Amino acid sequence: MPRSRIDAAAAISVMDLFTIGIGPSSSHTVGPMRAALMFMDSLPALPARVQCELYGSLALTGKGHATDTAILLGLSGYRPESVDPDAIADILAAIRGERRIRAGSAAGRFVPFDETADLLFRTGEFLEAHSNGMRFSAWVDGQEEPLVRDYYSVGGGAVLPGAEAIAADAQLGHNVVQPYPFSSGAEMLALGESTGLSIATLVLRNEGAWRAPQETEAFLDSVIDAMSASIDRGIKGEGLLPGGLKVRRRARAIHNRLLLQQNALGPAQIFEWVSLFALAVNEENAAGGRVVTAPTNGAAGVIPAVLHYYRRFVPGADRDGERRFLLTAAAMGFLYKKRASISAAEMGCQGEVGVACSMAAAGLAAVLGGTNQQVENAAEIGMEHNLGLTCDPIGGLVQIPCIERNTMGAVKAINAAYLALQGDGRHIVSLDAVIETMRQTGEDMASRYKETSLGGLAVNVVEC
């Protein structure tokens, strides 16, 4: 199966890693929406017709992941960070009823669109550069041949243009000169040792290559607030999740029950709260609500749940600590993106929930007072015990086992952080070694276990 990897020397920002969008999938919903809008806004003139062909995992599980919805929204000029989730049903009804789309960001201009003929799922076919491929075509007056462009959704909502441009796009980070660049866990620890800076401070100072520290902190605050809002909305939601599996939302009932037990709060109840936080986010994600890719939508509940654990159950927790949590987690996310992948279509779920668990473990260890070495150890533990985790969503929906898997990832991250803090940071398996092992495992994993719904639970559980 084709795949690509980000240049390890390229600079990545926290704004690339944490983005606010809608569910249910960063790679199958957020990325395709962005690609569709990019295509429409790149056209030299109003087209007479546009077409989108989906390949690889997007074709195999796209309908369960709302890729069709994402394409229609993106072609019509909507952005994942700003579209109103409550308005999407009406927008889609108008597109399908009128059989036309708004021409990207152009207000008042429309293009005919027949979904049956113009949105095609090329099941079993792959484009050359990545398993999440899209091909857009536009017929513009005065041109004999359609204008054709390929895009790839490479994980976490990130989109790269056609095969020739991927290498060039990866080089863009070389134009950014960071004061403390690192492309491995070993380099990260060495920088911390030589400068005396924490991992969070290294990342914050590197972000200064793009913007002032106050702007980065304001962005982090918006991410923190969006994560909290996704928990709050998830707790309030009721009823069945869309898609046909008839999965009932559980967060509200669990929340009400836990409220009755607050006077008898013990370790078991704390972990139940953590599970609730993750469950709430991923039910909201599955319902198409607004969440933060952290680093993906399929794993969107892990980091918010552990961050909320820090806020609610750790004495002395404050907003500065929450920012340090995210900056530290981001450092680990950079390494996974540079040295492997955060795409389930490439790595299986170890690249999503596994990476989120590793990031959350590092963030929590940092705000609990861990040294850089202990933080790196926590991140390693978080991934080591997610190696080989497959992505086998039933019915192509980000529901079973995805929602509960986030609760397990969150609890495991907390366990990893405290386990690392019991040692002095010295350990046998390095973070670099476990990332390379994840990459090799993902390469060896059969494609049917990588977000195709062709193996695992997806074929052994009968859909109701």
Side-chain angles (χ1 to χ4, degrees):
M1 181 179 293
R3 69 176 304 275
S4 64
R5 196 170 355 146
I6 291 175
D7 188 331
I12 307 174
S13 167
V14 293
M15 288 190 177
D16 299 322
L17 199 65
F18 299 120
T19 59
I20 301 171
I22 60 169
S25 171
S26 50
S27 61
H28 286 54
T29 311
V30 176
M33 191 186 306
R34 288 176 174 155
L37 179 59
M38 290 167 60
F39 174 70
M40 290 298 287
D41 285 351
S42 74
L43 297 179
L46 184 70
R49 178 192 172 197
V50 295
Q51 182 185 74
C52 175
E53 299 168 87
L54 302 172
Y55 293 86
S57 178
L58 295 180
L60 289 165
T61 63
K63 290 186 178 179
H65 286 63
T67 306
D68 47 354
T69 293
I71 295 296
L72 295 180
L73 292 173
L75 291 175
S76 299
Y78 293 96
R79 302 176 185 276
E81 61 270 23
S82 58
V83 65
D84 180 1
D86 295 330
I88 289 175
D90 290 339
I91 295 170
L92 296 177
I95 291 172
R96 288 162 175 158
E98 299 171 9
R99 296 167 69 95
R100 66 177 188 171
I101 56 172
R102 191 176 69 185
S105 300
R109 305 179 73 186
F110 295 87
V111 178
F113 192 85
D114 180 352
E115 190 172 354
T116 302
D118 296 330
L119 181 53
L120 305 175
F121 291 76
R122 301 298 190 189
T123 305
E125 299 180 39
F126 294 84
L127 296 182
E128 64 273 20
H130 193 278
S131 54
N132 288 335
M134 294 159 276
R135 175 162 291 160
F136 293 91
S137 303
W139 285 261
V140 179
D141 290 342
Q143 297 184 1
E144 294 184 5
E145 298 295 326
L147 188 154
V148 179
R149 290 185 177 141
D150 294 346
Y151 295 86
Y152 299 91
S153 181
V154 297
V159 174
L160 295 180
E164 300 81 8
I166 284 182
D169 191 274
Q171 296 297 320
L172 292 178
H174 292 292
N175 297 326
V176 175
V177 180
Q178 296 177 314
Y180 303 107
F182 56 89
S183 296
S184 69
E187 291 176 359
M188 177 183 70
L189 291 178
L191 279 171
E193 185 70 22
S194 64
T195 63
L197 300 176
S198 68
I199 293 170
T201 302
L202 291 173
V203 174
L204 182 61
R205 295 195 180 178
N206 282 341
E207 292 296 309
W210 285 284
R211 70 197 76 83
Q214 296 85 350
E215 293 180 66
T216 297
E217 290 179 352
F219 169 75
L220 293 172
D221 288 346
S222 71
V223 169
I224 293 165
D225 292 341
M227 288 180 170
S228 296
S230 66
I231 292 174
D232 292 340
R233 286 194 306 272
I235 287 174
K236 295 175 183 176
E238 290 185 290
L240 299 179
L241 293 171
L245 286 182
K246 299 180 181 179
V247 174
R248 186 169 297 279
R249 297 179 71 147
R250 291 176 285 173
R252 181 166 181 163
I254 293 173
H255 180 248
N256 290 339
R257 180 174 58 79
L258 289 177
L259 287 175
L260 299 176
Q261 302 175 356
Q262 286 191 106
N263 293 331
L265 193 64
Q269 285 73 34
I270 290 176
F271 278 134
E272 285 193 82
W273 278 103
V274 172
S275 294
L276 167 66
F277 302 149
L279 192 79
V281 173
N282 283 87
E283 287 183 348
E284 186 67 14
N285 178 64
R290 191 167 308 289
V291 298
V292 178
T293 60
T296 66
N297 280 31
V302 176
I303 290 176
V306 179
L307 186 63
H308 223 59
Y309 164 82
Y310 163 71
R311 174 188 294 174
R312 183 158 181 169
F313 297 111
V314 176
D318 57 17
R319 180 51 64 103
D320 180 65
E322 292 174 330
R323 294 174 188 149
R324 286 187 288 113
F325 182 112
L326 288 185
L327 289 167
T328 306
M332 310 307 142
F334 298 158
L335 297 180
Y336 283 101
K337 288 196 73 169
K338 290 183 176 186
R339 305 182 71 84
S341 171
I342 60 170
S343 169
E346 295 182 290
M347 295 287 111
C349 198
Q350 60 174 359
E352 295 206 20
V353 167
V355 171
C357 176
S358 181
M359 292 170 64
L364 182 60
V367 296
L368 291 176
T371 65
N372 287 352
Q373 289 74 20
Q374 289 171 320
V375 168
E376 185 259 3
N377 189 194
E380 180 277 322
I381 295 171
M383 173 52 72
E384 183 176 340
H385 303 288
N386 279 293
L387 289 173
L389 192 60
T390 61
C391 180
D392 51 354
I394 297 174
L397 299 167
V398 192
Q399 297 179 16
I400 304 172
C402 318
I403 295 172
E404 289 181 356
R405 188 166 285 171
N406 274 258
T407 72
M408 305 303 291
V411 171
K412 192 178 293 186
I414 296 172
N415 192 15
Y418 281 106
L419 188 59
L421 293 176
Q422 293 300 318
D424 60 6
R426 290 179 292 183
H427 52 109
I428 302 299
V429 181
S430 69
L431 177 59
D432 290 335
V434 84
I435 292 175
E436 175 59 16
T437 303
M438 186 199 83
R439 186 194 67 79
Q440 293 176 5
T441 303
E443 294 278 8
D444 292 341
M445 190 182 292
S447 62
R448 64 181 178 274
Y449 297 117
K450 294 192 284 189
E451 208 170 10
T452 60
S453 289
L454 297 176
L457 288 175
V459 298
N460 286 303
V461 176
V462 178
E463 296 181 37
C464 300

